[in-house]
Amino acid sequence: MADNEASPNPVEDDVVDPWNVVSKSVKGVDYDKLIKRFGSQKIEVALLERMEMLTGKPPHHLLKRGVFFSQRDLSQVLDLYEKGKPFFLYTGRGPSSEAMHLGHLIPFIITKYLQDTFNVPLVIQLTDDEKFLWKDLTVEEAHRLAYENAKDIIALGFDVNKTFIFSDIDYIGSSSAFYMNMLRIQRCVTYNQVKGIFGFGDSDCIGKISFPAIQAAPSFSSSFPHIFGGRKDIPCLIPCAIDQDPYFRMTRDVAPRLGYPKPALIHSQFFPALQGAQTKMSASDPNSSIFLTDSDKQVKTKINKYAYSGGGSSVEEHRKTGGNCDVDIAYQYLTFFLEDDEKLQQLKQDYSSGKLLTGELKKVLIEILQPLIKQHKERRAAVTDETVKEYMTPRKLAFDY
Ligand code: TYM
């Protein structure tokens, strides 16, 4: 299927778009079906083996476990790396709230791994303009939140010599190269097309309708002359959850018409809501989410109180029939954050057999997440305004192109 053939979500299918993720199944979104509908490719084991062979590094557990499950043109990116040719990474965040949640970490964790593994530059777009248009925020507040979220992103340890983080409000206002690309993209896409891709309607404000060009523009190296010296032929790889794919289907459709390379992508599954995998963890529902600002007590209470259990309804029943890891949220969260494969396998075995109770599994998760969030808070607190300014100043990055 061509990139631009994705249909709007039919009612009987899971709903997956940049604003909604809803599945009828307690197991969550049917990702195999989604790959077919979106026209992307599965990340096959052979591709991971090739990556390992080329880089000499084992695949990240999020890749190995199929959390990142789908791709577009990843093998072309590996071809470039093999030939010693340049590429860059691009990802982003819509700063709608002060606090990011655990789900938001997923694309950034893999992006950090990819930056370290391939030693390439990275651009991170903070779409404060998007959040102003979609949420009940003033433009000043959206801009402020971009800087707050930048601190969380910097706390993950991206190499300052190879990373440019930008607020759309700041950068679009200062870069004619970026704005020129936005214009080129805007001229290639009709209202009918964005209606089809994003479901915009007659009552959506015109800012929303033209926004996709802004998320598309960082895919092109010529949008960043201070990094790529005006070159327009350096391709990018975009890690994101699959909800963002509609933007990049549009971008890939437009790229050849502008004489630019199509961006490659790797897509992750969704980190589910506490209440179950029918929806993703979302900042707009605080009870569905564990935030990077939560206290130890909040983490414990939220998991114990809200995390959907795949266990039996009584201890007796659980011992007899065992737990169902396919729907159990504590287990699912462990597949994202417990790195030790053997330990994870053992937990699965013990929970499925009924040896391990829901409360015990939740305790394992709590003991992983509490220190992880605590460490994040400490690292974030150490990020000064000066450091933020350094990452967010348009400048040359350490990169041979
Ligand atoms: P935002 O802020 O909604 O999300 C930021 C990133 O986190 C991913 N994500 C999740 N991943 C796993 N589980 C979840 N529950 C979950 N919720 C969100 C998103 O897919 C995204 O990768 N418009 C974008 C900002 C953006 C962007 C980009 C994202 C601009 N350019 C390029 C990715 C790539 C947004 O509002 O993301």
Side-chain angles (χ1 to χ4, degrees):
M1 194 201 273
D3 285 341
N4 56 348
E5 277 180 39
S7 56
N9 297 299
V11 177
E12 70 272 16
D13 275 337
D14 298 328
V15 176
V16 176
D17 63 35
W19 305 282
N20 300 292
V21 175
V22 185
S23 166
K24 285 203 185 115
S25 166
V26 276
K27 289 187 185 168
V29 173
D30 183 334
Y31 289 105
D32 286 333
K33 233 174 159 184
L34 200 62
I35 281 187
K36 288 205 188 93
R37 209 167 88 208
F38 281 10
S40 61
Q41 262 79 47
K42 205 173 155 126
I43 298 186
E44 304 284 357
V45 175
L47 200 55
L48 296 181
E49 284 171 353
R50 182 167 174 230
M51 195 192 266
E52 179 167 8
M53 200 190 72
L54 289 173
T55 63
K57 259 186 124 178
H60 194 277
H61 71 270
L62 292 174
L63 284 164
K64 211 169 42 185
R65 292 180 191 161
V67 170
F68 278 82
F69 71 107
S70 155
Q71 52 95 12
R72 295 182 189 276
D73 288 345
L74 181 57
S75 60
Q76 273 90 323
V77 172
L78 296 182
D79 291 346
L80 290 173
Y81 183 72
E82 192 169 24
K83 291 184 198 141
K85 295 214 168 128
F87 73 94
F88 68 102
L89 293 163
Y90 158 40
T91 195
R93 154 83 182 137
S96 54
S97 60
E98 199 112 13
M100 286 168 62
H101 59 59
L102 285 175
H104 291 131
L105 284 184
I106 305 305
F108 289 102
I109 290 172
I110 208 74
T111 302
K112 161 102 174 87
Y113 163 85
L114 293 169
Q115 182 179 55
D116 292 346
T117 303
F118 291 101
N119 190 24
V120 285
L122 160 67
V123 297
I124 301 177
Q125 179 179 43
L126 301 173
T127 51
D128 39 13
D129 50 353
E130 175 193 11
K131 292 304 155 184
F132 166 68
L133 292 166
W134 261 271
K135 303 272 176 189
D136 186 18
L137 290 174
T138 62
V139 79
E140 291 81 5
E141 179 64 356
H143 185 236
R144 187 186 73 80
L145 291 174
Y147 279 75
E148 286 304 312
N149 285 187
K151 288 187 184 163
D152 286 287
I153 294 168
I154 292 167
L156 299 176
F158 292 103
D159 182 345
V160 68
N161 297 311
K162 296 198 192 79
T163 305
F164 173 48
I165 304 177
F166 62 99
S167 124
D168 279 345
I169 291 172
D170 290 339
Y171 190 55
I172 296 170
S174 74
S175 168
S176 52
F178 192 96
Y179 187 53
M180 282 183 203
N181 272 341
M182 275 172 52
L183 287 172
R184 291 182 182 111
I185 298 160
Q186 284 171 351
R187 197 168 69 171
C188 285
V189 185
T190 66
Y191 178 48
N192 246 342
Q193 285 169 322
V194 285
K195 261 199 317 198
I197 302 170
F198 299 97
F200 295 142
D202 290 347
S203 53
D204 279 309
C205 71
I206 58 171
K208 288 187 183 179
I209 290 148
S210 62
F211 173 74
I214 302 179
Q215 185 152 331
S219 312
F220 304 135
S221 58
S222 56
S223 296
F224 305 101
H226 55 278
I227 304 173
F228 303 109
R231 268 183 68 170
K232 60 175 195 174
D233 60 341
I234 302 179
C236 80
L237 170 63
I238 307 173
C240 58
I242 194 141
D243 60 334
Q244 300 296 309
D245 190 63
Y247 288 109
F248 302 116
R249 286 201 294 270
M250 186 199 86
T251 313
R252 285 169 57 88
D253 192 34
V254 161
R257 285 191 275 161
L258 298 179
Y260 295 153
K262 289 183 178 189
L265 288 117
I266 56 169
H267 302 115
S268 82
Q269 301 185 352
F270 300 107
F271 192 77
L274 279 160
Q275 287 76 3
Q278 283 102 329
T279 58
K280 65 170 179 173
M281 183 169 276
S282 162
S284 41
D285 177 2
N287 286 336
S288 85
S289 297
I290 296 175
F291 292 100
L292 299 175
T293 46
D294 281 350
S295 65
D296 279 358
K297 189 157 175 265
Q298 281 171 312
V299 171
K300 187 172 170 189
T301 310
K302 281 185 182 178
I303 292 171
N304 282 334
K305 193 164 166 194
Y306 298 120
Y308 183 81
S309 164
S313 53
S314 64
V315 174
E316 294 70 40
E317 192 197 309
H318 185 83
R319 294 279 187 222
K320 215 156 76 191
T321 55
N324 180 358
C325 288
D326 288 344
V327 300
D328 192 277
I329 286 298
Y331 180 76
Q332 310 244 321
Y333 285 10
L334 285 165
T335 65
F336 285 78
F337 285 106
L338 172 60
E339 288 180 30
D340 185 333
D341 289 332
E342 265 175 43
K343 192 162 178 205
L344 186 67
Q345 187 53 36
Q346 188 65 52
L347 289 168
K348 183 173 189 180
Q349 205 176 310
D350 291 350
Y351 193 59
S352 307
S353 72
K355 190 174 159 196
L356 194 74
L357 298 174
T358 295
E360 292 166 334
L361 187 69
K362 287 187 172 182
K363 187 162 178 278
V364 177
L365 176 66
I366 291 164
E367 284 170 1
I368 287 176
L369 292 184
Q370 282 176 334
L372 184 143
I373 291 173
K374 186 164 174 265
Q375 192 188 47
H376 179 82
K377 281 195 246 177
E378 283 164 9
R379 290 193 176 148
R380 189 189 190 280
V383 177
T384 62
D385 290 345
E386 265 311 296
T387 310
V388 173
K389 203 168 156 204
E390 220 181 326
Y391 278 91
M392 296 187 71
T393 301
R395 66 208 188 281
K396 213 170 148 33
L397 300 182
F399 180 51
D400 291 327
Y401 50 81

